[in-house]
Each structure stands twice: as C-alpha cells, then as structure tokens.
C-alpha cells in the first residue's frame, strides 16, 4: 500500500553564476541548463522543474527569446516553477536590509510581468546562513515559506527539518531544511536519499522533499536519472526492483508547502547560523564596495526623489534599478562571500564600480539641480565673477555659498571639510562658526593642500547653505594655526536645531543629563572634550582608557584597538568546519606616535605599527562636539594565511555582559562565546551599567569573549581554496593597502541609548558638498525633506514608485519598541501617522495626487498582485471563494476548483497562469473582495479567469469587468473574449477589437474577440 506521506521530488539545477568560473561561463550554463530542462519537460510528461532567480530568466529572455517562450508555456502549465522571488540567491547575512527589499522589488515584479505570477516560496539552498529578519522580509514580499540547506546538522543540530520560522516582529513562514544535497545526480545516490527521506516523512508525520539534478555549474536532471525515477514512480511496490509502500511524485516546492500539515510544527525564533564563518571577512575589497554601493544608491535615490518633489520632473527609477541589478548580482553568496576565483572577484569589482558610478551621477545631478535653484543672491546685485579666488565665486564679503546635503533621515550635526584658505564660515543666519585648518587631499603648493573643517547642523534628508569667506572680519573664533584652546561657542542641547551626536541629541548620548560646555584639549598622552577623556599608553601607542567625564566610568579594561594577527593556515577560504578565529600568532607593535591635529574642533593621534612584512597606520580622532571617537586604519598587508582583528577590551562586567549586533533591518543578541558571527554596521557590548558600541564602514564579522570584542578586519587566504594543493603558484587575497574606519560610542546603558543605528549611518553616509555661485531661485537657503516624530522609527528608502504617479517611503522600527509615529514629508506637504510594532518594516505609497490617502503596500510595490495568504483546499476561506465563484458563474466555478485541485495550485497567481495555457480566456468573473473577503490583503479586486468552450454568467459591472480584463492583459494572455453587454467598453483600456461572434446563451448575447497585444 502507498506510504501515508509522499516524497515530493524537486528537479532542479543549482546555478552559481560565478564561483570557480567567471560570470560569462555562468551565463552560458544558464542557457544550456534551461535548454536541457525544457527537453526533459518535453520528454517526460510528468516531470516538474524548479529554478530560482529572476536574473537567469532575464538572461534567457534577452539571449534566446524563442526558448524564453517555451519557458513561459511550461510556467503556465505549472511544470516549470520559478521560486525565490529575488534577483538570485544572495548571501543572507551581508547585504543590508534594503538590499533584500530590492531583491524582492525587482525579482517579484519581473516574475509578475513575464509570467503573470509571483513566487510564494523563498529559496536559498546554498547560502551560508540566514538572518533573523528574513521571515518578515519574505512575508512582505509575497512569500510564505522558505527552503534552505545551511547550517547543516554538524553545524547546528538544533535546527529542525520542518518548522515555523519567526522573526522578531512575529512574522512567520513555513521553513524546510534540505537534509540531503540539492544536487543528487546518480541513481544510487537517489535511492539512498529517497530511503532516508521516506523514513523522515514517517517520523515527522509530514511529507518530505528530495532535490535531484546536477548542480553548481548547472546541468539539472540527467536522462539516466530521469529514466530511473520514472521507473520507480510507474512501478511502485515491485519488491524485486523497488521498495514497497513508497509514494514518489514529481513536484515543486510550492506544491509541497501546500501539502504540509502545520499542526504541531516547532517554532524557531531568531537567526539560522552558521556555516562558512570566513565568508564574512574574505575579500574585504568586495565587502567595502558592496557597502559603498548600497549606501550610495540609497543616497542617490533619495536625492533624486527630493529634487523631483521640489522642482518637478520624473525620478530616475529605471537607471536606479539598473544600478541595483549590478549590486544584487554581486551579492550572490559565492561572490560577496569572497570565496570565488580571482577572475570572478575582479569582475565583481568592475561591476560594483558601475553601480557606484551610476549612483554618483544620479546623486550629483539631483543635488546640483537643487543647489542651482536655491536663492543665493537675495537682495544683492552681484555678478558671477572670480575676482578674488581661483576656486570660489565670493565677492564683496558676501562669501561663497556652499550647500551641504544631509543623506540621513534624521537631523544631524556632522563634521564637514570645505576648501582651504578660508578665514570665516557663517551659516544661513549669519552666525560665525568655529573652523579648523586640516590637511586636505591636494599637494599643489603650500596653500592648496589645506581644507577647512567646520561642524554643520543639517535637516533630515535636507540641505543647509553656508558661506565661505576669504577675509577675517568677525572671525573671533576662527583658528589661525598652531595649538589652540579658544573658547568655543556654547553647546546647546534641545530645540529643533540642537546639536546632535551619534544621531541622538547630546543630552541623550550623555544619559539625559546636563552637558557642561567644554573645549577640546589635547597634548601629551591624552585628549578630552565635554564628554570623554581619552588616554594613550606611551608604550603600546594604543588607547589605554576612555572615561566618561561626568560619571568617571571607565569603558576599557585594556589597550585598544590591539591589532591582532591570527593564524588561519588550518582553514580554507570559506572557514569550513571552523567556529572561531582565535589562534593569535602575534600583534602589530608600535613604531612611532605623534599628534597630527590639535585644533579647537578635532584632535588626532597617529600611531605607526608593524608586524612581519606589514605596516599599519592608526589615526585616533576626538571632536570637540561629539561623544564618540573615530579610528581610521591604513593597512599595508603582506601576510599569508593570516587574519587581522581589531580588539576592544570592553569594561562591561563580563558575567552580565550582553552582545548585540546589527542585522539587516534589525538587531540580534548573542552569547559571549568567542565564536565568529556575521554583523552589519555596528556591534555592542554592554553590562555593569555601561557599554561600548563599535560602528564600522566595512566590517562584517566579529567575536566576543570575556568582554573582549574582536572585529575582523581582513583575511588573506588563497582565492577559492577548499583545502586544495597549496603551491607557489597560488594567489593570496588582500595583498596591499586597505583602509577601514571605526567609530567608538561609549554609553551608559544598552546600545539603543548610544543611538547605535544613527551613529553607524552617520559614519557610512557623510554629507555631500556642492560649491555654488550667486543666482536667484525658488528654494530657500535651508530645506528639510522628512520629519518622523518617533526616534526609534527610521526611514530606510525614499524613491519614486515603480508604477509612477507617486512615491515610496520605507521605514522600520530600529530599537525593538513599539511606536506610533507621525511622518511628515514637507516637500509634498504630506503628514500621516502609522503604528509600528517592535522591529516592524512598513512600506508606504504616497500618491502624487494629494486627494488620495497614503496607504501601506508591500516590498515589491505590487498593488495587491502578490498574495500573502495561501489558500488551501478545504479550509474555510477556500470554500467561501469557490462557493462565490460557483454562484457567480454557471460552470466556471467547478472548472476553477477542479483545475486547482488537479494541479495542486493554492495561490491565485498560479491559477491565472495555469488556466491560460491555451492562450484564450472564455470568460471573467470579478469579485469586489473588500466587502466579501476582507481577510485577503492588499487587492481591492480579484479577477477569476475561467477556461471553457462556453461562458454563461451573471452580468457584471462594467468597472469590475474592465479591471479584470486589464489584469488578464497584464498576465500576458494573447486574446480575450468579452460579452456584448460590454462591447465598446474595452477600447478605453487600449484593446483593439479584431472580430466578433454571437453566442445564443445567457445574458451576454454577443461575444467579441479583443487583441491583447497593445
């Protein structure tokens, strides 16, 4: 008798577009693999093929359009099943939260456009670990389930095979962990794996999936394997050949997930780690470029949107999407993970450059447009003429206008460096600001190599105009060179234009206590401001102490940052089989130390260090106005099979210390166990009433043990070495000069009191300066783009809607506390409120028309074409929908139900695609589900598409029929038949009538054929 729990066979071909080969080879493999899969689909009628990644389908579409039409045919039939509505299978720890949103945005929209359906199953079978926010991201992308393989049982035995995975906000997906390889390719391996899987199904009380097909370099199911599987399916119970009682079926992950009985499944909360720990520090160059590209594209997109809001015109959504596609491709786990051959890494560097260059061009165009529209002339009548300086346009003591743009979604006070030779800097109110001469990027002559440092108070996603003066009139607080301890302007805490530090007010960063204005002092072996006293060890050249000025609390218990060299010759590029990097081979030792800056605004101690053939230059800077310390490292790395860590021994009471680190769109708490974990822009160690947050500009891994935080800076394994033969021809990664930056934020309590997210954003997204001239314009000297009342709610992205006619704002709750936020967009004169749960992501559509309300949408901006709730045969909602369809359309409802049950489809997008297999639609029925099915989210109207020789149905409103027929057009059907009751209506939807015929039944007496090709 058949087994009670079937084994769903998933034919697939895992495709690494680049790894041990360049992406051009991967491109060719995608084409060849799809051709092989299409041949197998034609040869074996029951075969079902699964493939993930919109990128691959686009390659086929652009290169082999005839083959792409074959793919569309099998997708409509439900036999070729796209999964993972992302651009491809990325690393699932290193990309930022918004990168995952873009994978969904561009991936799901591609599937909707080309196949009329979105993916409902997330699918990352080869990624090395999975961050804890993915269930929410998947849900808000239209996916309610997830398939993965790592970590394996030897890496984290606690992870179940089949379970509900829950993110911190409470979102859940059904998760399946592949327990046999995804690339089973021989009959013998298949038989052994099938036996294990069937046993597991009986043990779990649920069906199981088994993946088969040659993978990594493509291939898919072979003919010999297909013949073997087909014989097993067709001859079950033959004791002489195959086991009795098996139940094998060709299937897809979607069909499998629909068959899972969720009753009693365990719940896993948090991240799924860890595999290949070295992939979060291999190839620092790629990780720096990824961070820079992500940050640059978000800043460019926001600037582009703001310019369009202020001055009109269409946002550059297409150009931004093209640039994001470079970034998303390079986030493939073997590329961003740094474990590919050198050629693949070099290709990634070039394509990251394309994205960064595109972002820079888009941002510059937008900011120049805004700057040129600011009224910098006022009541003056001065010409644009360079009478007084070769670089600046200033005349008659008015000064040269300098527009400083803030890419951050909160008001921020940020250091800025302008042209050298400046005697005064004033703000738009005429107030004189303190300045400091600092070394600039130029070397052309004594005067040209200096820049002017000042502190700029900037509105959120906005700009402020400052004036650069060449004369000294009124420059009472300007620094004229040498050591200086001038009395600074008073430090204010409070008010709408208050000074901020680390993204929060100075008062909040100091523990909500009164801050005493104090000058910046430096000299000997220490420096201090009104927040911190920083001491240096003259022997080691490192920071020996960081003391809170008011409380006296010491934040370090040892020198920092100690540059530790770790021996990793026993590991491979991935770090397979390892849990930590703690074999200290030595450390960088001091060569020299000197003060390079000792001004009123910033003091910098430079230390030079050496180890083996490598050198390190470390700049430690303290600003007068901020409660943080900046550290810049310039490393000339010549080591092999070595790893560099920056150690910060935190004085946080080890027994009670808590480790918290940023993950995409959230944060996670971890144990202090010395294991290597992935991080994003910050990590914090807190305890004993104090803590230290370390923000970074390019670090993605760290460990903590006994209060000592060790951030991994770089590694130098061999390119793509999996314990291979190491000889003199092997090439090592990361040879040469690298630069990294850290920001230390001491604080009194947990990481949230330090404004960790804001401080890390400030470090990674500095202000942009535009030198202006005199001109009239419609814009004021200062403008603000956004205002969010809740400090724990941050805007992550501001962009033009993909469907045009509006704007998209994405926000998230960043501190784990529910909030009600009032959100204002001054340039649009829009204000609305929203409730955020802890760690919740929300995406808002702001229509261009002010008469239309702001409404929430999903990550792909799908306007309801993606269904979050899966409908299963037999449940209450399914019965109601089918029943309503039967009542509305004689004969159509039963056809719909039968076809759905026959093909195992449980989401309407798949139904639409499957039922249109013959290219014709015989009728439509639409439901105004807002009133009838309120539990189905997002879509105001549902179009049910029915296939049959004749159509009889109740008369429907013109508006609803029109929307249904328009939706069918979007789904890609070639022709549509409509009843005479609506004849002539559809021309307004752009359809051309190409014929007509009469049908002698029902209320719709005439049946007209319309061409859907518009």
């Amino acid at each position: 008798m058949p087994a009670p729990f079937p084994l769903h066979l998933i034919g697939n071909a895992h495709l690494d577009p680049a790894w041990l080969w360049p992406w051009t080879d991967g491109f060719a493999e995608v084409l060849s693999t799809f051709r092989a899969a299409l041949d197998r689909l034609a040869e074996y009628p029951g075969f079902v093929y699964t493939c993930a990644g919109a990128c691959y389908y686009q390659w086929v579409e652009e290169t082999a359009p005839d083959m792409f039409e074959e793919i569309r045919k099998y997708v409509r039939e439900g036999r070729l099943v796209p999964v993972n509505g992302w651009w491809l299978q990325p690393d699932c720890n290193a990309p930022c939260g918004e990168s995952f949103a873009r994978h969904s945005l561009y991936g799901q929209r591609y599937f909707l456009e080309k196949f009329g359906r979105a993916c409902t199953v997330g699918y990352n079978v080869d990624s090395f670990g999975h961050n804890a926010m993915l269930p929410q991201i998947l849900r808000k992308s239209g996916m309610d389930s997830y398939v993965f393989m790592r970590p394996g049982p030897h890496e984290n035995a606690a992870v179940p095979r089949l379970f509900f995975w829950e993110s911190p906000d409470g979102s859940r997906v059904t998760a399946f962990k592949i327990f046999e390889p995804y690339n089973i390719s021989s009959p013998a391996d298949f038989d052994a794996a099938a036996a294990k899987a069937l046993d597991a199904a009986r043990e779990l009380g649920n069906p199981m999936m088994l993946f088969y097909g040659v993978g990594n370099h493509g291939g898919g199911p072979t003919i010999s394997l297909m013949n073997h599987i087909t014989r097993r399916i067709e001859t079950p119970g033959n004791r002489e050949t195959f086991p009795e009682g098996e139940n094998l079926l060709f299937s897809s992950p979607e069909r499998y997930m629909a068959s899972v009985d969720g009753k009693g499944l365990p719940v896993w909360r948090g991240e799924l780690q860890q595999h290949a720990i070295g992939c979060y520090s291999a190839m620092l160059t790629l990780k720096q470029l990824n961070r820079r590209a992500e940050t640059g594209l978000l800043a460019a997109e926001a600037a582009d949107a703001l310019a369009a809001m202020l001055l009109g015109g269409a946002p550059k959504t297409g150009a931004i999407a093209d640039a994001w596609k470079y970034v998303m491709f390079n986030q493939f786990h073997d590329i961003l993970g740094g474990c590919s051959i050198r050629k693949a890494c070099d290709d990634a560097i070039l394509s990251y450059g394309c994205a960064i260059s595109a972002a820079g061009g888009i941002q510059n165009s937008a900011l120049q447009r805004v700057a040129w529209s600011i009224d910098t002339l006022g009541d003056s009548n001065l010409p644009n003429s360079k009478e007084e300086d070769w670089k600046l346009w200033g005349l008659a003591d008015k000064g040269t206008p300098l527009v400083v743009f803030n890419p951050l979604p909160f008001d921020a006070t940020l250091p800025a460096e302008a042209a050298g030779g400046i005697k005064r800097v004033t703000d738009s109110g005429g107030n004189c600001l303190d300045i400091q001469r600092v070394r600039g990027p130029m070397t052309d002559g004594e005067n040209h190599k200096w820049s002017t440092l000042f502190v700029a108070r900037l509105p959120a996603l906005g700009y402020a105009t400052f004036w650069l003066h060449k004369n000294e009139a009124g420059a009472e607080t300007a620094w004229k060179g040498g050591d200086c301890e001038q009395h600074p302007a008073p430090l204010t805490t409070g008010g709408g234009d208050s000074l901020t530090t680390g993204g929060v007010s100075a008062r909040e960063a100091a523990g909500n206590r009164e801050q005493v204005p104090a000058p910046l002092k430096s000299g000997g072996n220490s420096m201090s401001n009104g927040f911190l006293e920083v001491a240096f060890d003259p022997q080691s050249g490192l920071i020996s102490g960081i003391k809170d000025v008011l409380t006296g609390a010491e934040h370090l218990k040892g020198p920092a940052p100690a540059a530790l060299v770790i021996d990793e010759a026993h590991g491979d590029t991935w770090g397979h089989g390892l849990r930590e990097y703690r074999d200290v081979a030595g450390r960088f030792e001091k060569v020299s130390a000197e003060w390079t800056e000792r001004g009123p605004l910033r003091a910098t101690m430079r230390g030079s260090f050496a180890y083996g053939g490598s050198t390190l230059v470390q700049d430690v800077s303290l600003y007068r106005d901020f409660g943080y310390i900046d550290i810049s490292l310039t490393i000339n790395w010549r080591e092999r099979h070595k790893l560099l860590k920056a150690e910060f021994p935190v004085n946080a009471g080890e027994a009670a210390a808590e480790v918290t680190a940023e993950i995409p769109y959230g944060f996670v708490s971890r144990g202090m166990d010395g294991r290597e974990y992935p991080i994003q822009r910050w990590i914090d160690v807190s305890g004993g009433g104090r803590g230290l947050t370390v923000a970074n500009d390019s670090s993605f891994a760290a460990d903590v043990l006994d209060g000592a935080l060790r951030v991994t800076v770089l590694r130098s394994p061999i390119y793509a070495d999996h314990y291979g033969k190491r000889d003199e021809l092997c090439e090592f990664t990361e040879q040469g000069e690298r630069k990294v930056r850290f920001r230390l934020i001491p604080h009194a309590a947990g990481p949230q009191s330090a404004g960790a997210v804001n401080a890390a954003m400030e470090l990674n997204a500095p202000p942009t300066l535009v030198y202006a001239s005199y001109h009239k314009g419609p814009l004021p000297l200062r403008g603000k783009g956004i205002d969010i009342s809740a400090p724990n709610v941050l805007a992550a992205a501001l962009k033009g809607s993909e469907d045009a006619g509006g704007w998209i704002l994405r926000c998230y709750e960043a501190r784990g506390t529910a909030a009600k936020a009032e959100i204002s967009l001054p340039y649009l004169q829009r204000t609305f409120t929203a409730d955020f749960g802890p760690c919740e992501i929300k995406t808002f559509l702001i229509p261009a028309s002010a008469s239309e309300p702001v409404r929430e949408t999903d990550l792909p901006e799908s306007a309801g074409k993606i269904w979050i709730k899966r409908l299963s045969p037999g449940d209450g909602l399914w019965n109601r929908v089918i029943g309503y369809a039967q009542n509305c359309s004689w004969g159509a409802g039963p056809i719909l139900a039968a076809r759905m049950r026959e093909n195992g489809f449980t989401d309407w997008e798949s139904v639409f695609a499957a039922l249109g297999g013959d290219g014709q639609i015989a009728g439509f029925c639409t439901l105004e589900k807002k009133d009838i099915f309120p539990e189905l989210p997002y879509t105001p109207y549902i179009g049910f598409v029915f296939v049959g020789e004749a159509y009889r149905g109740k008369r429907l409103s013109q508006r609803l029929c029109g929307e249904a027929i328009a939706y069918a057009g979007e789904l890609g059907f070639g022709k549509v038949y409509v009843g005479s009751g609506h004849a002539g209506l559809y021309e307004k939807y752009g359809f051309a009538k190409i014929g007509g015929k009469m049908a002698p039944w029902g209320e719709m007496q005439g049946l007209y054929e319309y061409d859907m090709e518009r």
Side-chain angles (χ1 to χ4, degrees):
M1 60 183 296
F5 302 108
L7 181 60
H8 291 250
L9 306 180
I10 312 301
N12 79 106
H14 182 64
L15 287 156
D16 292 330
W19 176 31
L20 305 180
W21 46 85
W23 73 271
T24 49
D25 287 11
F27 195 116
E29 268 310 293
V30 166
L31 297 174
S32 298
T33 298
F34 265 113
R35 182 66 269 162
L38 291 168
D39 291 344
R40 301 296 87 77
L41 287 165
E43 295 159 358
Y44 300 89
F47 173 54
V48 179
Y49 181 68
T50 293
C51 184
C55 173
Y56 304 154
Y57 292 89
Q58 186 182 67
W59 283 354
V60 177
E61 180 188 16
E62 294 175 348
T63 309
D66 291 342
M67 188 160 68
F68 187 71
E69 288 306 311
E70 290 184 68
I71 292 174
R72 286 168 58 100
K73 170 182 176 294
Y74 283 114
V75 170
R76 288 195 298 267
E77 293 179 4
R79 295 183 59 207
L80 197 159
V81 183
V83 291
N84 206 43
W86 290 353
W87 199 241
L88 40 58
Q89 297 183 56
D91 181 273
C92 290
N93 284 309
C96 73
E98 186 58 24
S99 282
F100 289 104
R102 297 314 168 108
H103 277 278
S104 297
L105 173 68
Y106 301 121
Q108 289 284 48
R109 291 183 72 87
Y110 180 85
F111 289 125
L112 280 166
E113 177 187 351
K114 303 303 178 181
F115 304 123
R117 52 157 295 160
C119 298
T120 61
V121 177
Y123 184 97
N124 290 289
V125 299
D126 202 24
S127 301
F128 308 134
H130 311 267
N131 76 78
M133 291 296 288
L134 282 185
Q136 182 180 181
I137 292 170
L138 290 164
R139 274 283 178 179
K140 290 182 181 290
S141 303
M143 292 176 274
D144 60 7
S145 51
Y146 193 61
V147 178
F148 69 104
M149 187 172 70
R150 300 197 171 103
H154 62 295
E155 294 160 331
N156 193 336
V159 178
R161 289 176 175 171
L162 180 64
F163 57 97
F164 289 125
W165 186 20
E166 184 175 293
S167 57
D169 74 303
S171 298
R172 284 187 180 183
V173 294
T174 304
F176 178 89
K177 181 164 73 72
I178 300 174
F179 69 101
E180 293 293 329
Y182 52 71
N183 56 351
I184 295 171
S185 57
S186 73
D189 289 341
F190 177 88
D191 290 344
K196 292 180 182 178
L198 288 166
D199 288 342
R202 295 185 181 92
E203 177 185 340
L204 290 175
N206 253 308
M208 294 292 288
M209 281 192 284
L210 184 67
F211 291 71
Y212 66 96
V214 180
N216 289 336
H217 202 258
T222 62
I223 295 174
S224 59
L225 185 55
M226 286 298 305
N227 289 335
H228 177 74
I229 294 173
T230 301
R231 286 197 301 271
R232 287 194 62 163
I233 290 175
E234 293 176 348
T235 57
N238 184 339
R239 289 178 177 273
E240 297 179 359
T241 311
F242 303 118
E244 184 179 10
E246 66 181 6
N247 184 0
L248 309 183
L249 66 151
F250 291 116
S251 189
S252 68
E254 287 188 342
R255 186 173 180 183
Y256 169 77
M257 289 298 180
S259 71
V260 167
D261 181 0
K263 296 178 181 178
L265 288 184
V267 178
W268 182 276
R269 296 178 177 89
E271 57 189 346
L272 294 167
Q273 309 291 5
Q274 72 212 58
H275 172 87
I277 64 171
C279 290
Y280 299 103
S281 47
M283 283 303 295
L284 169 66
T285 301
L286 292 181
K287 291 171 174 59
Q288 286 182 320
L289 290 171
N290 182 75
R291 178 77 62 79
R292 183 178 173 188
E294 290 174 330
T295 306
L297 277 170
L298 290 173
E301 190 172 52
D304 179 57
L306 293 172
M309 291 175 184
L310 283 167
L311 304 169
K316 297 180 173 64
T317 52
I320 289 168
D322 290 341
W324 269 110
K325 288 173 184 177
Y326 284 116
V327 177
M328 293 186 299
F329 180 83
N330 288 324
Q331 289 173 340
F332 184 77
H333 49 269
D334 287 321
I335 301 176
L336 185 54
C339 50
S340 297
I341 61 171
R342 181 164 190 165
K343 174 67 167 102
C345 292
D346 289 346
D347 287 343
I349 290 170
L350 293 175
S351 60
Y352 268 127
C354 292
I356 293 168
S357 178
I362 292 168
Q363 183 183 37
N364 180 69
S365 176
L367 299 187
Q368 295 283 357
R369 191 174 168 218
V370 172
W372 190 253
S373 300
I374 296 172
D375 184 3
T376 58
L377 194 57
D379 297 330
S380 303
N381 186 21
L382 297 172
N384 280 325
S385 180
K386 286 189 175 180
E387 302 289 345
E388 300 179 1
D389 187 81
W390 67 279
K391 183 175 183 179
L392 305 176
W393 291 90
L395 288 173
D397 197 34
K398 181 176 177 63
T400 296
L402 176 73
V403 185
V404 183
F405 291 89
N406 178 16
L408 304 169
F410 47 82
D411 295 348
T413 302
L414 305 172
E417 294 185 19
I422 301 301
K423 303 300 183 182
R424 286 187 300 141
V425 175
T426 56
D427 63 18
S428 56
N431 302 302
C432 189
L433 306 181
D434 294 336
I435 62 174
Q436 177 177 330
R437 188 178 70 159
V438 296
R439 181 61 188 265
M442 299 173 63
T443 59
D444 183 19
E446 179 63 23
N447 292 329
H448 294 168
K449 66 182 182 181
W450 301 103
S451 293
T452 302
L453 174 69
F454 67 100
V455 175
R457 300 181 184 181
L458 303 173
L461 283 183
Y463 65 90
T465 306
F466 299 85
W467 301 87
L468 308 179
H469 303 269
K470 297 284 290 184
N471 62 58
E472 298 189 33
E476 292 83 1
T477 61
W479 184 50
K480 299 177 177 61
D483 295 345
C484 180
E485 290 185 6
Q486 304 250 4
H487 294 290
L491 176 64
T492 60
T493 58
D497 195 29
S498 64
L499 184 68
T500 59
T501 176
V504 296
S505 70
R507 180 190 296 266
E508 182 180 354
N512 287 320
R513 59 196 185 213
E514 292 298 330
Q515 179 63 40
V516 178
L520 174 63
K521 298 179 180 179
S522 61
N525 293 307
S526 68
M527 54 185 175
S528 66
N529 61 11
F531 300 97
L532 303 171
E533 293 180 0
V534 182
F536 294 92
D537 178 4
Q539 299 300 316
S540 68
L542 304 176
I543 302 172
S544 60
I546 302 174
K547 183 180 293 186
D548 186 293
V549 167
L550 295 187
T551 68
E554 175 57 57
H555 290 274
L556 291 180
K557 62 177 182 180
L564 306 180
V565 180
I566 309 296
D567 183 2
E568 59 156 328
H570 58 292
D572 66 357
T573 309
W574 290 258
H576 281 133
L578 303 180
R579 292 177 177 265
E580 61 184 30
Y581 289 119
R582 300 193 63 84
D583 296 335
V584 179
R587 65 183 61 214
F588 279 78
E589 302 292 344
K590 174 187 172 184
V591 175
S592 64
E594 61 177 335
W595 291 100
T596 57
E597 295 177 326
R598 293 184 60 208
L601 298 182
R602 185 172 69 195
T604 299
M605 169 69 83
R606 170 168 292 179
S608 296
F609 305 84
Y611 172 88
S614 303
T615 60
L616 184 153
V617 176
Q618 173 181 284
D619 287 338
V620 180
S621 299
L622 181 68
Y623 290 86
R624 182 194 69 188
D625 298 327
F626 305 119
Y628 58 68
I629 302 162
D630 277 350
I631 299 176
S632 175
L633 303 180
T634 301
I635 309 127
N636 194 331
W637 186 251
R638 300 296 177 185
E639 310 307 313
R640 297 181 170 187
H641 288 308
K642 297 288 196 304
L643 177 151
L644 177 63
K645 280 184 174 283
E647 182 182 59
F648 302 90
V650 183
N651 184 27
E654 291 82 354
E658 180 182 8
V659 180
T660 310
E662 185 182 46
I663 61 175
Y665 272 144
F667 59 91
V668 65
S669 295
R670 298 186 176 123
M672 204 165 46
D673 55 11
R675 294 177 62 174
E676 188 88 345
Y677 286 103
I679 65 172
Q680 292 249 321
R681 295 172 297 186
W682 60 267
I683 183 170
D684 179 89
V685 179
S686 290
R690 64 179 73 100
L692 182 69
T693 298
V694 179
N696 68 79
D697 75 338
S698 55
S699 298
F700 289 82
D703 72 78
V704 186
L705 184 65
D706 298 329
L709 165 61
R710 294 179 173 181
V711 180
T712 306
V713 179
L714 54 78
R715 297 173 54 223
S716 53
I718 296 169
Y719 282 95
D721 168 37
H722 190 15
Y723 299 107
K725 181 179 179 181
R726 298 171 176 174
D727 56 31
E728 67 279 1
L729 298 180
C730 291
E731 292 184 285
F732 288 81
T733 63
E734 299 305 336
Q735 302 298 294
E737 185 175 279
R738 302 290 185 270
K739 294 178 181 288
V740 300
R741 293 182 298 148
F742 297 107
R743 177 163 291 172
L744 312 186
I745 307 112
H747 54 86
Q752 309 306 349
S753 71
V757 182
N758 303 59
M761 291 174 72
E762 288 182 0
L763 177 66
N764 283 271
T768 303
L769 281 60
V770 174
Y771 292 90
S773 59
Y774 302 144
H775 43 71
K776 300 295 290 183
L779 300 183
L781 295 175
R782 186 180 178 91
K784 184 171 188 173
I786 194 169
D787 191 21
I788 302 177
S789 64
N792 55 326
V793 174
L794 294 175
L798 178 63
K799 61 184 291 293
S801 167
E802 296 296 314
D803 293 320
W807 309 96
I808 292 292
L809 174 66
R810 188 150 30 251
C811 301
Y812 72 107
E813 195 288 311
R815 302 188 187 182
T817 304
K820 187 178 187 66
E822 182 178 86
I823 302 171
S824 296
L825 296 170
Y827 299 156
L828 295 178
Q829 297 182 343
R830 285 275 203 161
T831 299
F832 59 97
T833 59
D835 293 318
F836 287 80
C839 302
E840 185 177 9
I841 308 162
K842 284 182 178 287
T843 303
F844 302 102
L845 171 63
I846 301 103
S849 172
S851 63
E852 297 182 44
V854 174
R855 60 181 184 270
E856 191 175 347
T857 185
D858 51 20
L859 295 180
E861 306 171 27
S862 64
K865 296 170 192 171
I866 293 179
W867 289 61
I868 304 300
K869 182 176 179 62
R870 184 185 297 274
L871 303 183
S872 299
D875 68 22
L877 183 58
W878 168 279
N879 292 334
R880 287 172 59 203
V881 171
I882 295 300
Y884 195 88
Q886 289 172 330
N887 290 333
C888 284
S889 179
W890 303 342
I895 292 173
L896 172 67
R899 291 295 292 270
M900 290 188 73
R901 293 189 180 103
E902 174 187 340
N903 292 287
F905 290 115
T906 56
D907 66 283
W908 293 112
E909 296 296 342
S910 298
V911 176
F912 291 155
L915 296 185
D918 59 2
Q920 295 181 350
I921 306 171
F924 291 91
C925 172
T926 57
L927 308 179
E928 191 169 358
K929 74 94 188 167
K930 275 193 299 187
D931 301 324
I932 301 169
F933 301 113
E935 62 269 57
L936 297 183
Y938 302 111
T939 313
Y941 303 101
I942 304 170
F944 293 110
V945 183
F946 306 121
V947 175
E949 295 180 358
Y951 173 82
R952 290 185 297 172
K954 295 183 178 180
R955 196 178 185 110
L956 304 169
S957 75
Q958 292 185 350
R959 178 171 62 88
L960 294 181
C961 269
E963 293 189 6
I965 204 168
Y967 189 32
E970 294 175 13
L971 295 179
F973 297 113
K975 295 180 182 179
V976 63
Y977 297 98
V978 301
S980 60
H982 306 300
L985 170 67
Y986 300 104
E987 279 82 349
K988 79 173 187 178
Y989 293 99
F991 306 135
K993 187 168 68 172
I994 58 176
K997 57 184 178 179
M998 299 299 294
W1001 37 254
E1003 296 181 34
M1004 291 187 178
Q1005 296 299 314
L1007 201 62
Y1008 289 87
E1009 185 180 67
Y1010 280 79
D1011 183 8
M1012 303 294 282
E1013 300 297 329
R1014 293 168 290 177

